[in-house]
Short mmCIF file of all heavy atoms in Angstrom, two decimals:
data_model
loop_
_atom_site.label_atom_id
_atom_site.label_comp_id
_atom_site.label_asym_id
_atom_site.label_seq_id
_atom_site.Cartn_x
_atom_site.Cartn_y
_atom_site.Cartn_z
N THR D 28 0.83 -1.22 0.00
CA THR D 28 0.00 0.00 0.00
C THR D 28 0.86 1.27 0.00
O THR D 28 0.34 2.37 -0.18
CB THR D 28 -0.93 0.05 1.23
OG1 THR D 28 -0.15 0.25 2.42
CG2 THR D 28 -1.77 -1.20 1.35
N GLN D 29 2.15 1.13 0.19
CA GLN D 29 3.05 2.28 0.27
C GLN D 29 3.65 2.70 -1.08
O GLN D 29 4.48 3.60 -1.14
CB GLN D 29 4.19 1.99 1.26
CG GLN D 29 3.72 1.74 2.69
CD GLN D 29 3.10 2.99 3.30
OE1 GLN D 29 3.77 3.98 3.49
NE2 GLN D 29 1.80 2.92 3.58
N ILE D 30 3.23 2.04 -2.15
CA ILE D 30 3.73 2.40 -3.49
C ILE D 30 3.35 3.85 -3.78
O ILE D 30 2.21 4.25 -3.59
CB ILE D 30 3.18 1.44 -4.56
CG1 ILE D 30 3.74 0.04 -4.31
CG2 ILE D 30 3.51 1.93 -5.96
CD1 ILE D 30 3.14 -1.04 -5.17
N GLY D 31 4.34 4.62 -4.20
CA GLY D 31 4.14 6.05 -4.46
C GLY D 31 4.41 6.94 -3.26
O GLY D 31 4.38 8.16 -3.36
N THR D 32 4.71 6.32 -2.13
CA THR D 32 4.97 7.08 -0.90
C THR D 32 6.44 7.46 -0.81
O THR D 32 7.33 6.66 -1.12
CB THR D 32 4.58 6.23 0.33
OG1 THR D 32 3.22 5.83 0.21
CG2 THR D 32 4.77 7.00 1.61
N SER D 33 6.70 8.67 -0.37
CA SER D 33 8.07 9.15 -0.21
C SER D 33 8.73 8.55 1.02
O SER D 33 8.08 8.32 2.03
CB SER D 33 8.09 10.68 -0.07
OG SER D 33 7.67 11.28 -1.26
N LEU D 34 10.04 8.33 0.91
CA LEU D 34 10.82 7.87 2.05
C LEU D 34 11.11 9.05 2.97
O LEU D 34 11.12 10.20 2.53
CB LEU D 34 12.14 7.25 1.59
CG LEU D 34 12.05 6.03 0.67
CD1 LEU D 34 13.44 5.50 0.38
CD2 LEU D 34 11.16 4.96 1.23
N VAL D 35 11.35 8.75 4.24
CA VAL D 35 11.74 9.78 5.20
C VAL D 35 13.04 9.34 5.88
O VAL D 35 13.35 8.15 5.96
CB VAL D 35 10.65 10.04 6.27
CG1 VAL D 35 9.40 10.60 5.66
CG2 VAL D 35 10.33 8.78 7.06
N ASN D 36 13.79 10.33 6.36
CA ASN D 36 15.03 10.06 7.05
C ASN D 36 15.29 11.23 7.98
O ASN D 36 15.26 12.38 7.54
CB ASN D 36 16.18 9.90 6.04
CG ASN D 36 17.48 9.52 6.69
OD1 ASN D 36 18.27 10.39 7.01
ND2 ASN D 36 17.70 8.24 6.88
N ASN D 37 15.52 10.95 9.24
CA ASN D 37 15.76 11.99 10.25
C ASN D 37 14.64 13.03 10.25
O ASN D 37 14.88 14.23 10.38
CB ASN D 37 17.11 12.68 10.03
CG ASN D 37 18.26 11.75 10.27
OD1 ASN D 37 18.18 10.83 11.09
ND2 ASN D 37 19.35 11.96 9.54
N GLY D 38 13.40 12.58 10.09
CA GLY D 38 12.25 13.47 10.14
C GLY D 38 12.05 14.31 8.89
O GLY D 38 11.19 15.19 8.87
N LYS D 39 12.81 14.07 7.84
CA LYS D 39 12.69 14.85 6.60
C LYS D 39 12.22 13.96 5.47
O LYS D 39 12.63 12.80 5.36
CB LYS D 39 14.04 15.47 6.22
CG LYS D 39 14.53 16.48 7.23
CD LYS D 39 15.88 17.02 6.82
CE LYS D 39 16.39 17.96 7.90
NZ LYS D 39 17.77 18.37 7.64
N ILE D 40 11.39 14.51 4.61
CA ILE D 40 10.94 13.78 3.43
C ILE D 40 12.05 13.80 2.39
O ILE D 40 12.61 14.86 2.09
CB ILE D 40 9.64 14.40 2.86
CG1 ILE D 40 8.52 14.27 3.89
CG2 ILE D 40 9.26 13.73 1.55
CD1 ILE D 40 7.24 14.96 3.50
N LEU D 41 12.38 12.64 1.85
CA LEU D 41 13.44 12.52 0.86
C LEU D 41 12.89 12.57 -0.55
O LEU D 41 11.71 12.33 -0.78
CB LEU D 41 14.19 11.19 1.05
CG LEU D 41 14.82 10.95 2.40
CD1 LEU D 41 15.47 9.57 2.44
CD2 LEU D 41 15.84 12.03 2.72
N ASP D 42 13.77 12.85 -1.50
CA ASP D 42 13.42 12.80 -2.90
C ASP D 42 13.59 11.36 -3.38
O ASP D 42 14.46 11.05 -4.19
CB ASP D 42 14.31 13.76 -3.70
CG ASP D 42 13.91 13.86 -5.16
OD1 ASP D 42 12.80 13.40 -5.50
OD2 ASP D 42 14.70 14.36 -5.96
N ALA D 43 12.80 10.46 -2.80
CA ALA D 43 12.84 9.03 -3.13
C ALA D 43 11.47 8.43 -2.81
O ALA D 43 10.89 8.75 -1.77
CB ALA D 43 13.92 8.32 -2.33
N LYS D 44 10.96 7.61 -3.74
CA LYS D 44 9.65 6.99 -3.56
C LYS D 44 9.70 5.50 -3.85
O LYS D 44 10.45 5.06 -4.71
CB LYS D 44 8.63 7.62 -4.51
CG LYS D 44 8.31 9.05 -4.19
CD LYS D 44 7.24 9.58 -5.10
CE LYS D 44 6.96 11.01 -4.68
NZ LYS D 44 5.80 11.56 -5.31
N ILE D 45 8.87 4.74 -3.15
CA ILE D 45 8.70 3.32 -3.45
C ILE D 45 7.88 3.23 -4.72
O ILE D 45 6.78 3.79 -4.79
CB ILE D 45 8.00 2.61 -2.28
CG1 ILE D 45 8.83 2.71 -1.00
CG2 ILE D 45 7.72 1.15 -2.64
CD1 ILE D 45 8.11 2.22 0.25
N ILE D 46 8.41 2.54 -5.73
CA ILE D 46 7.66 2.43 -6.99
C ILE D 46 7.08 1.03 -7.21
O ILE D 46 6.19 0.87 -8.04
CB ILE D 46 8.52 2.86 -8.20
CG1 ILE D 46 9.77 2.01 -8.36
CG2 ILE D 46 8.84 4.34 -8.12
CD1 ILE D 46 10.48 2.20 -9.68
N SER D 47 7.60 0.04 -6.47
CA SER D 47 6.98 -1.29 -6.57
C SER D 47 7.32 -2.11 -5.33
O SER D 47 8.32 -1.87 -4.67
CB SER D 47 7.42 -2.03 -7.83
OG SER D 47 8.74 -2.51 -7.70
N ALA D 48 6.42 -3.06 -5.05
CA ALA D 48 6.60 -3.98 -3.93
C ALA D 48 6.14 -5.36 -4.39
O ALA D 48 5.00 -5.52 -4.80
CB ALA D 48 5.80 -3.53 -2.72
N GLU D 49 7.05 -6.33 -4.37
CA GLU D 49 6.74 -7.68 -4.84
C GLU D 49 6.97 -8.69 -3.72
O GLU D 49 8.03 -8.69 -3.09
CB GLU D 49 7.64 -8.05 -6.02
CG GLU D 49 7.52 -7.14 -7.21
CD GLU D 49 8.59 -7.42 -8.26
OE1 GLU D 49 9.19 -8.51 -8.24
OE2 GLU D 49 8.82 -6.52 -9.08
N LEU D 50 5.99 -9.55 -3.50
CA LEU D 50 6.10 -10.61 -2.51
C LEU D 50 6.61 -11.87 -3.19
O LEU D 50 6.26 -12.16 -4.33
CB LEU D 50 4.74 -10.89 -1.88
CG LEU D 50 4.01 -9.71 -1.25
CD1 LEU D 50 2.65 -10.14 -0.76
CD2 LEU D 50 4.83 -9.11 -0.14
N SER D 51 7.44 -12.63 -2.48
CA SER D 51 7.94 -13.90 -3.03
C SER D 51 8.28 -14.85 -1.90
O SER D 51 8.45 -14.44 -0.76
CB SER D 51 9.16 -13.66 -3.92
OG SER D 51 10.21 -13.10 -3.16
N ASN D 52 8.40 -16.12 -2.22
CA ASN D 52 8.76 -17.18 -1.27
C ASN D 52 7.90 -17.16 0.00
O ASN D 52 8.42 -17.13 1.11
CB ASN D 52 10.24 -17.08 -0.87
CG ASN D 52 11.17 -17.21 -2.05
OD1 ASN D 52 10.87 -17.91 -2.99
ND2 ASN D 52 12.29 -16.52 -1.98
N PRO D 53 6.58 -17.21 -0.17
CA PRO D 53 5.75 -17.18 1.03
C PRO D 53 5.88 -18.47 1.85
O PRO D 53 5.92 -19.56 1.30
CB PRO D 53 4.33 -17.04 0.48
CG PRO D 53 4.39 -17.57 -0.91
CD PRO D 53 5.79 -17.31 -1.39
N ASP D 54 6.00 -18.30 3.14
CA ASP D 54 6.00 -19.43 4.07
C ASP D 54 4.69 -19.33 4.84
O ASP D 54 4.59 -18.61 5.84
CB ASP D 54 7.22 -19.34 5.01
CG ASP D 54 7.31 -20.53 5.94
OD1 ASP D 54 6.34 -21.32 6.02
OD2 ASP D 54 8.35 -20.67 6.60
N VAL D 55 3.68 -20.03 4.34
CA VAL D 55 2.33 -19.92 4.89
C VAL D 55 2.28 -20.34 6.35
O VAL D 55 1.65 -19.68 7.18
CB VAL D 55 1.33 -20.74 4.04
CG1 VAL D 55 -0.06 -20.66 4.63
CG2 VAL D 55 1.35 -20.26 2.59
N GLU D 56 2.99 -21.41 6.69
CA GLU D 56 2.97 -21.90 8.07
C GLU D 56 3.55 -20.89 9.04
O GLU D 56 3.04 -20.69 10.13
CB GLU D 56 3.73 -23.22 8.17
CG GLU D 56 3.02 -24.37 7.50
CD GLU D 56 3.83 -25.66 7.60
OE1 GLU D 56 4.72 -25.75 8.47
OE2 GLU D 56 3.56 -26.56 6.81
N ALA D 57 4.66 -20.24 8.65
CA ALA D 57 5.30 -19.28 9.53
C ALA D 57 4.70 -17.88 9.39
O ALA D 57 4.97 -17.01 10.21
CB ALA D 57 6.80 -19.21 9.24
N GLY D 58 3.87 -17.68 8.36
CA GLY D 58 3.26 -16.38 8.15
C GLY D 58 4.27 -15.32 7.71
O GLY D 58 4.12 -14.15 8.03
N ARG D 59 5.30 -15.76 6.98
CA ARG D 59 6.36 -14.84 6.54
C ARG D 59 6.55 -14.94 5.03
O ARG D 59 6.19 -15.93 4.41
CB ARG D 59 7.67 -15.15 7.24
CG ARG D 59 7.59 -14.95 8.75
CD ARG D 59 8.97 -15.00 9.39
NE ARG D 59 8.96 -14.54 10.75
CZ ARG D 59 9.00 -13.27 11.13
NH1 ARG D 59 9.04 -12.32 10.24
NH2 ARG D 59 8.99 -12.95 12.41
N THR D 60 7.12 -13.89 4.48
CA THR D 60 7.40 -13.84 3.04
C THR D 60 8.60 -12.94 2.80
O THR D 60 9.00 -12.18 3.68
CB THR D 60 6.17 -13.33 2.26
OG1 THR D 60 6.42 -13.42 0.87
CG2 THR D 60 5.83 -11.90 2.62
N ASP D 61 9.18 -13.04 1.62
CA ASP D 61 10.24 -12.10 1.22
C ASP D 61 9.57 -10.95 0.48
O ASP D 61 8.56 -11.13 -0.21
CB ASP D 61 11.26 -12.77 0.32
CG ASP D 61 12.12 -13.79 1.07
OD1 ASP D 61 12.11 -13.78 2.31
OD2 ASP D 61 12.78 -14.60 0.40
N LEU D 62 10.13 -9.78 0.61
CA LEU D 62 9.58 -8.59 0.00
C LEU D 62 10.68 -7.86 -0.76
O LEU D 62 11.76 -7.62 -0.21
CB LEU D 62 8.99 -7.68 1.09
CG LEU D 62 8.47 -6.31 0.68
CD1 LEU D 62 7.27 -6.45 -0.24
CD2 LEU D 62 8.10 -5.51 1.92
N ARG D 63 10.41 -7.55 -2.02
CA ARG D 63 11.37 -6.83 -2.84
C ARG D 63 10.77 -5.46 -3.16
O ARG D 63 9.76 -5.36 -3.85
CB ARG D 63 11.64 -7.61 -4.12
CG ARG D 63 12.80 -7.10 -4.93
CD ARG D 63 13.12 -8.04 -6.08
NE ARG D 63 13.41 -9.39 -5.67
CZ ARG D 63 14.60 -9.84 -5.28
NH1 ARG D 63 15.61 -9.01 -5.24
NH2 ARG D 63 14.77 -11.10 -4.93
N LEU D 64 11.40 -4.40 -2.62
CA LEU D 64 10.94 -3.03 -2.84
C LEU D 64 11.86 -2.33 -3.83
O LEU D 64 13.09 -2.37 -3.68
CB LEU D 64 10.96 -2.25 -1.52
CG LEU D 64 10.05 -2.78 -0.42
CD1 LEU D 64 10.38 -2.15 0.91
CD2 LEU D 64 8.61 -2.51 -0.78
N THR D 65 11.27 -1.68 -4.83
CA THR D 65 12.05 -0.90 -5.79
C THR D 65 11.78 0.56 -5.51
O THR D 65 10.62 0.97 -5.33
CB THR D 65 11.67 -1.25 -7.24
OG1 THR D 65 11.85 -2.67 -7.42
CG2 THR D 65 12.54 -0.51 -8.23
N ILE D 66 12.87 1.33 -5.46
CA ILE D 66 12.79 2.74 -5.07
C ILE D 66 13.43 3.60 -6.15
O ILE D 66 14.51 3.28 -6.66
CB ILE D 66 13.51 2.95 -3.72
CG1 ILE D 66 12.83 2.10 -2.65
CG2 ILE D 66 13.54 4.43 -3.34
CD1 ILE D 66 13.63 1.95 -1.38
N ASP D 67 12.75 4.67 -6.52
CA ASP D 67 13.27 5.69 -7.43
C ASP D 67 13.56 6.93 -6.61
O ASP D 67 12.75 7.31 -5.76
CB ASP D 67 12.24 6.05 -8.50
CG ASP D 67 12.50 5.40 -9.83
OD1 ASP D 67 13.56 4.79 -10.00
OD2 ASP D 67 11.63 5.51 -10.71
N GLY D 68 14.69 7.58 -6.89
CA GLY D 68 14.98 8.79 -6.15
C GLY D 68 16.14 9.55 -6.72
O GLY D 68 16.54 9.36 -7.87
N SER D 69 16.66 10.41 -5.90
CA SER D 69 17.81 11.24 -6.25
C SER D 69 18.93 10.93 -5.28
O SER D 69 18.71 10.94 -4.06
CB SER D 69 17.41 12.71 -6.17
OG SER D 69 18.49 13.53 -6.50
N THR D 70 20.12 10.65 -5.79
CA THR D 70 21.25 10.33 -4.94
C THR D 70 22.32 11.39 -5.06
O THR D 70 22.43 12.06 -6.09
CB THR D 70 21.85 8.95 -5.30
OG1 THR D 70 22.90 8.65 -4.39
CG2 THR D 70 22.38 8.90 -6.71
N VAL D 71 23.07 11.56 -4.01
CA VAL D 71 24.19 12.50 -3.98
C VAL D 71 25.47 11.68 -3.90
O VAL D 71 25.55 10.72 -3.13
CB VAL D 71 24.08 13.44 -2.77
CG1 VAL D 71 25.30 14.32 -2.65
CG2 VAL D 71 22.83 14.29 -2.86
N PHE D 72 26.45 12.04 -4.70
CA PHE D 72 27.75 11.36 -4.64
C PHE D 72 28.65 12.21 -3.76
O PHE D 72 29.03 13.32 -4.11
CB PHE D 72 28.35 11.20 -6.04
CG PHE D 72 29.57 10.35 -6.06
CD1 PHE D 72 29.48 8.98 -5.87
CD2 PHE D 72 30.82 10.90 -6.26
CE1 PHE D 72 30.59 8.17 -5.89
CE2 PHE D 72 31.95 10.11 -6.28
CZ PHE D 72 31.83 8.73 -6.09
N SER D 73 28.99 11.68 -2.58
CA SER D 73 29.77 12.45 -1.61
C SER D 73 30.71 11.50 -0.87
O SER D 73 30.28 10.46 -0.38
CB SER D 73 28.81 13.13 -0.63
OG SER D 73 29.51 13.74 0.42
#
């Protein structure tokens, strides 16, 4: 449900958003799964 939501860091909104979230390898008995999040944003080289 967070697709399109901006990331935050130290209380500040970043120029980065979650653009996709994919579930894989569900373990039904344990109620766990792997999650792959893809993020688009702006990076600084420092």
Side-chain angles (χ1 to χ4, degrees):
T28 69
Q29 298 295 295
I30 294 172
T32 304
S33 294
L34 300 183
V35 296
N36 184 267
N37 294 329
K39 296 179 184 172
I40 296 175
L41 302 178
D42 186 14
K44 292 184 179 191
I45 299 171
I46 60 168
S47 74
E49 300 171 18
L50 305 176
S51 62
N52 300 328
D54 183 349
V55 178
E56 290 179 19
R59 297 191 168 278
T60 185
D61 291 345
L62 174 65
R63 190 173 303 275
L64 298 167
T65 304
I66 299 166
D67 258 352
S69 180
T70 183
V71 174
F72 189 71
S73 173

